[in-house]
Amino acid sequence: MKPAKEIPRISPVDKISFYSKFVSKNKPVIIEGLADDWPAMKKWNMNFFAENYSKVEPVTIAVKDGKCDVTIEKGVQVSFTAIEKTINKIIEGNVQNGYAIATTDDVFPADLKNDYPVPAYCADGSYLRTRIFIGAEGTTTWLHQDLFENLYTMVKGKKRIILFDPWDTVYPQSRFSKLPNHARPDAENIDYEKFPRMKNAQPYIVDLKAGETLYLPSLWWHHLKNIEESIAVSFWWAYGWKLPVVWAAAQYKKIRQI
Ligand SMILES: O=C(O)CCC(=O)C(=O)O
């Protein structure tokens, strides 16, 4: 790969500037301090979830050798597992056969939402969805892209995020596979014999720490590694020409009940 480039860091700007400088240009940026006043910043840690929500069963992903268990044949391996079991594995630092939480927030009682008010940038965004990610140090999420815009805030811990722009040569899986939005190479350990064009790929590397928010534009490829045990919140919304595509995909899922 080419030497990594950095993503700029800014203080919060008004909504019009955010859309004109970043969203409409599909440009990532790190916003420092956007979530400074979230109660989650002070309250949340592993014990907070284990003690207050022990019986909640969020979407949980099996982890094998540190990687979220994603296979081309079967897709992402998910279950609904009681949170206390997962949190115990995370506290043990279990990345061999552990679990990571990657769930929409609707599995939690609604008052949890008071801890992370929706940022003004996406508060009236179409198809707004919120997700919570909790994982052990060393676990990774494989390189993939999403159609949604994403504001991704670290509440605890630190992640290294490797990004590629949507047009880069990252060897996507077939559009007909179970994981059509995933890439084939391991972004941390590229096999250049198998993926020679990755030599020319341009990574952007971000070490995102607690209190920082990454604006991850639609379709940018992202690979995430927990450098520390971590908790993050993401807000996804649809914008521009992707809106009708997201709407059509949601209708299709409703009809097919998937
Ligand atoms: O936090 C992670 O490991 C995954 C986050 C992600 O892929 C997303 O928000 O789109």
Side-chain angles (χ1 to χ4, degrees):
M1 293 196 290
K2 292 181 179 165
K5 288 189 178 173
E6 286 189 11
I7 303 288
R9 287 184 144 76
I10 60 164
S11 298
V13 292
D14 62 74
K15 190 172 171 182
I16 294 177
S17 306
F18 177 67
Y19 273 77
S20 65
K21 291 189 182 142
F22 304 107
V23 183
S24 64
K25 296 197 170 123
N26 200 240
K27 264 194 183 166
V29 67
I30 298 161
I31 309 151
E32 295 174 327
L34 190 69
D36 274 358
D37 56 356
W38 286 10
M41 291 294 166
K42 294 205 178 95
K43 281 163 67 179
W44 287 14
N45 55 33
M46 297 297 155
N47 289 333
F48 171 82
F49 282 94
E51 282 163 15
N52 293 293
Y53 302 107
S54 59
K55 300 291 176 246
V56 169
E57 297 186 341
V59 180
T60 303
I61 300 186
V63 170
K64 273 209 184 121
D65 300 329
K67 310 241 183 313
C68 287
D69 193 9
V70 167
T71 59
I72 306 171
E73 301 77 35
K74 296 189 197 134
V76 182
Q77 306 295 295
V78 298
S79 61
F80 292 89
T81 306
I83 203 166
E84 60 188 347
K85 185 173 170 192
T86 309
I87 295 281
N88 286 339
K89 292 266 184 197
I90 291 172
I91 291 171
E92 279 166 24
N94 193 330
V95 295
Q96 293 309 318
N97 292 299
Y99 302 97
I101 294 168
T103 189
T104 49
D105 65 348
D106 49 10
V107 293
F108 291 101
D111 63 352
L112 187 67
K113 281 186 186 291
N114 298 331
D115 289 357
Y116 48 95
V118 183
Y121 299 154
C122 58
D124 53 5
S126 305
Y127 284 92
L128 183 66
R129 305 279 187 278
T130 311
R131 287 177 169 67
I132 297 177
F133 298 93
I134 309 178
E137 177 183 338
T139 48
T140 62
T141 297
W142 199 264
L143 187 63
H144 68 285
Q145 61 178 176
D146 301 299
L147 204 50
F148 288 90
E149 311 295 328
N150 189 344
L151 272 177
Y152 186 93
T153 298
M154 289 306 301
V155 176
K156 279 274 169 289
K158 201 195 265 186
K159 289 202 191 216
R160 175 153 306 157
I161 308 180
I162 307 175
L163 304 168
F164 299 92
D165 81 34
W167 311 108
D168 215 337
T169 52
V170 300
Y171 294 85
Q173 297 285 5
S174 148
R175 290 294 171 205
F176 302 102
S177 73
K178 284 256 160 77
L179 293 169
N181 63 334
H182 281 62
R184 288 159 59 209
D186 177 349
E188 283 177 73
N189 185 18
I190 292 173
D191 179 342
Y192 288 106
E193 285 198 2
K194 247 171 143 179
F195 307 113
R197 291 198 309 274
M198 287 301 288
K199 284 185 193 145
N200 296 321
Q202 175 61 68
Y204 294 75
I205 300 190
V206 175
D207 282 351
L208 197 70
K209 49 186 194 305
E212 294 180 335
T213 299
L214 170 67
Y215 164 58
L216 176 57
S218 159
L219 294 175
W220 274 66
W221 295 94
H222 47 292
H223 168 108
L224 305 95
K225 179 177 196 129
N226 284 313
I227 313 179
E228 294 170 3
E229 174 184 288
S230 80
I231 306 178
V233 174
S234 73
F235 298 94
W236 288 13
W237 77 105
Y239 175 76
W241 65 264
K242 290 126 198 164
L243 190 53
V245 183
V246 166
W247 181 84
Q251 298 311 308
Y252 176 76
K253 280 188 172 175
K254 221 191 238 169
I255 294 163
R256 297 281 314 270
Q257 296 186 330
I258 50 178

